[in-house]
Amino acid sequence: MHDPSLPFSDTEPPFSGDSTAGPSGPVADDRFGPVDVRLDAERGTVAVAGGALPEVRLVRGGGAKPNRYAPIGTRDGARLTLTVDGGPAGIRPARAWIPRRSYRVDARAGGSRYRLVPCSATASRLLRDGRRLGEFTSRGDGSVAADWLPGADPRPQDAAVGYALAAAFGTGGRSLGDLLVDIVDALLPG
């Protein structure tokens, strides 16, 4: 059954391409035009590029303990390498446990600090230096959609980093309240 809160159909993949490499772009971004997002979960890579965007690559290193809750396969920042426009950048994913905020991912690139943090069950907001830029939605299969806030004026690097983080770690997270309701419901007799 299709989840109407997601901008994608369950019956058709949003991208075509080699199924072993994951869905591929281009994504139609309202501000930046076509954005090519490639996730290869098996090899542990995410690549983002587009005519107006710098290239961003996120690579999972060898020896990473697999994590099925992160499309790239790990949330261990020491086992991840992030490059933005060919230069080194920093990445620090939180451990992703029960609280929604624990699914945040922090990155540093070109003098800017980024944070992708869940804001609903399906979406995550992107912040640059503490300022909200927009929200990303990803199914965790490489498909990503961005909704930029009016007046936010995101830069090309902001978009490229946001797409990469959303593809690599997915978006959204359940609230603690939702989890508690599910636990209580499971404990009640049917």
Side-chain angles (χ1 to χ4, degrees):
M1 184 162 126
H2 174 63
D3 180 349
S5 66
L6 294 176
F8 311 104
S9 163
D10 286 343
T11 58
E12 294 180 20
F15 310 109
S16 60
D18 180 0
S19 62
T20 62
S24 300
V27 173
D29 186 287
D30 293 341
R31 294 194 188 212
F32 298 101
V35 179
D36 189 37
V37 179
R38 296 193 183 270
L39 166 69
D40 186 334
E42 188 175 314
R43 290 188 179 103
T45 63
V46 172
V48 174
L53 303 182
E55 183 178 359
V56 173
R57 293 189 48 82
L58 186 56
V59 179
R60 180 185 72 221
K65 184 177 177 183
N67 180 326
R68 65 185 178 122
Y69 298 108
I72 197 161
T74 188
R75 294 188 69 88
D76 180 355
R79 304 279 187 207
L80 293 166
T81 302
L82 177 66
T83 57
V84 177
D85 210 15
I91 181 97
R92 197 175 77 201
R95 69 183 249 193
W97 195 56
I98 291 178
R100 184 180 283 172
R101 187 172 169 82
S102 74
Y103 285 84
R104 74 186 175 282
V105 180
D106 292 318
R108 285 185 174 268
S112 295
R113 292 174 303 128
Y114 294 97
R115 175 168 281 179
L116 186 72
V117 63
C119 57
S120 73
T122 58
S124 292
R125 77 175 54 102
L126 178 67
L127 297 99
R128 178 191 68 227
D129 299 324
R131 183 170 177 236
R132 281 184 64 186
L133 299 175
E135 293 182 5
F136 284 80
T137 307
S138 176
R139 293 191 298 204
D141 62 357
S143 56
V144 182
D147 184 20
W148 301 108
L149 291 175
D153 198 29
R155 301 176 204 150
Q157 177 178 286
D158 304 336
V161 169
Y163 277 105
L165 297 179
F169 299 100
T171 59
R174 297 189 61 198
S175 71
L176 188 55
D178 289 343
L179 292 172
L180 291 174
V181 168
D182 284 351
I183 291 168
V184 169
D185 185 51
L187 296 174
L188 293 174

